[in-house]
Amino acid sequence: MDEMPKDKQPSIRVMAMPADANSAGDIFGGWIMSQVDLAGSAVAHRYVRGRVVTVAVNSFSFHQPVFIGDLISCYAEIVKVGNTSITIEVTVFAERYREDNPVKVTQAVLTYVAVDENRRPTPIKKQDV
């Protein structure tokens, strides 16, 4: 996904604020990673209909920096559903202040595991995506 999808809603959308930036005005990579994890876990939670925990960051690529005032949209899609795990790809676009076209800034793949009330892995019931 190289262009922001027009037919899908983002899992989350948030504006990068001054408190999220380093002294050079770039947004910390860890802040973006946190937003990606929130977006991926929301989709995993919705599919599993229960609690999930992050067990792996399979890949994470920063394509462009994010700046204060950028509105980021995180699009999350299910890649694979296993017995107790679910893998989600998250693509992040930034809508920059005074620019017309959103740019892809980050792409990641994360794996979550469904857990029960005792925090033990639990089977995922397969469903249509």
Side-chain angles (χ1 to χ4, degrees), residues 17-101:
M17 300 300 286
D20 308 317
N22 61 26
S23 60
D26 297 330
I27 299 304
F28 286 112
W31 180 84
I32 298 165
M33 293 176 88
S34 176
Q35 303 309 313
V36 165
D37 193 25
L38 288 169
S41 66
V43 170
H45 172 78
R46 199 174 303 127
Y47 183 91
V48 169
R49 294 188 179 114
R51 187 174 185 173
V52 296
V53 294
T54 310
V55 295
V57 176
N58 306 45
S59 66
F60 212 105
S61 300
F62 295 99
H63 300 285
Q64 293 195 32
V66 174
F67 303 111
I68 294 169
D70 284 356
L71 179 63
I72 66 161
S73 299
C74 300
Y75 292 87
E77 293 185 47
I78 297 170
V79 174
K80 177 184 169 192
V81 178
N83 293 329
T84 61
S85 67
I86 182 168
T87 302
I88 308 287
E89 181 176 28
V90 181
T91 306
V92 183
F93 292 89
E95 296 176 60
R96 303 207 191 275
Y97 185 68
R98 295 186 181 171
E99 288 187 22
D100 292 333
N101 297 320

